[in-house]
Amino acid sequence: MPKQKITKEMVVETAFQLAREGGMERVQVNPIAVRLGCSVQPIYSYCQNMDGLRRDVYARVRDFVHETLAQTDGSFQATGQAYVRLAREEPELFKLFALCPREGVASLDDLYRAEASPAMAEAIAGELGLSLEAARRLHLNMIIYTIGLGAIFSVSDPGIQADEIYAWQAEAYQAFLKQEKEQSSHGK
C-alpha cells in the first residue's frame, strides 16, 4: 500500500481537531503524527516551529467561528445567540477564539474593524434609526458583552442555562440601545 502524502492542510486540520478536543495545549507534534499515522518529519517540514502552527490553528478557529455565524439569518440577535451556542457546543474552540492573539489591535476601534462586518453596523443603523457611529458603538458593546458571556458560559460547570444567557444578552442590548439613543438625542 502506498504511503499517504501528508499535506500542510492535513497537519493544520489535525491540530485544529486536537485543539477542539482539549485546547491549544493539545497541539503538539507527536499527537499530530499519531493521528496522521506518520512520523514527525512531515509535520516539521510544514511547521518550522510550533508558534507558526498555532497561528495556523488560531486562523482555522477564527474561520470556523465566522462560518458558524454565517449560518444564522444574519440578524443582530441571531448572531449574538450563535456566539452563545458556540460557547456551549464548542467550548474549547470558543475559548481559543476569545483568547486568540489579535495582531494589530491597539484600540477598541481596531478590535471592531477586526471582528465585525461593516454591513452589520449599516443594518443596525437602518433598522434602529441610529447614526452609523451609534450603531457601531452598540454593536461593539454587544460584541464585548457577548464574547464575555460566552467565555463564562464555556467554562461553567454544569453550565448556565442558555435561556438565562439570552435574557442577559437581551437586557444588555436594551441598556446599550437606550444609552445610544440618549446620546443621540443630546447631540453627542
Side-chain angles (χ1 to χ4, degrees):
M1 172 182 251
K3 280 189 168 181
Q4 177 183 9
K5 179 168 172 28
I6 304 299
T7 65
K8 181 176 183 179
E9 291 75 24
M10 292 168 69
V11 172
V12 172
E13 186 60 27
T14 301
F16 169 79
Q17 291 301 328
L18 287 166
R20 186 180 207 173
E21 295 164 12
M24 196 60 82
E25 54 275 358
R26 297 269 319 265
V27 177
Q28 297 175 11
V29 174
N30 286 333
I32 294 169
V34 168
R35 287 264 176 111
L36 290 173
C38 67
S39 71
V40 298
Q41 193 282 325
I43 293 141
Y44 283 120
S45 70
Y46 291 120
C47 309
Q48 299 303 320
N49 59 49
M50 289 307 291
D51 288 339
L53 178 58
R54 287 186 181 105
R55 276 192 301 275
D56 290 342
V57 171
Y58 280 124
R60 176 71 178 89
V61 168
R62 291 175 64 80
D63 288 347
F64 179 86
V65 169
H66 292 141
E67 290 164 10
T68 299
L69 297 178
Q71 293 174 15
T72 70
D73 66 11
S75 71
F76 194 36
Q77 182 179 18
T79 302
Q81 289 181 352
Y83 275 112
V84 172
R85 275 192 310 281
L86 184 64
R88 169 56 56 107
E89 294 168 6
E90 297 283 357
E92 293 300 331
L93 293 182
F94 191 87
K95 288 184 270 187
L96 289 172
F97 171 74
L99 299 175
C100 75
R102 287 168 169 83
E103 295 177 18
V105 174
S107 69
L108 290 176
D109 285 335
D110 291 343
L111 176 69
Y112 187 77
R113 280 190 290 281
E115 295 298 324
S117 162
M120 182 61 81
E122 292 167 8
I124 293 166
E127 180 182 331
L128 300 175
L130 296 173
S131 70
L132 191 55
E133 187 54 37
R136 282 188 191 118
R137 281 192 307 268
L138 172 61
H139 192 200
L140 177 60
N141 278 324
M142 288 307 297
I143 288 170
I144 293 166
Y145 189 82
T146 298
I147 290 175
L149 272 179
I152 292 166
F153 198 43
S154 70
V155 297
S156 63
D157 185 29
I160 302 166
Q161 294 298 309
D163 289 345
E164 182 179 358
I165 297 290
Y166 295 151
W168 279 88
Q169 264 183 321
E171 282 185 42
Y173 168 74
Q174 290 301 322
F176 291 135
L177 177 59
K178 179 181 177 188
Q179 175 183 319
E180 290 306 328
K181 287 184 174 184
E182 287 174 358
Q183 286 182 358
S184 293
S185 71
H186 292 95
K188 290 186 179 180

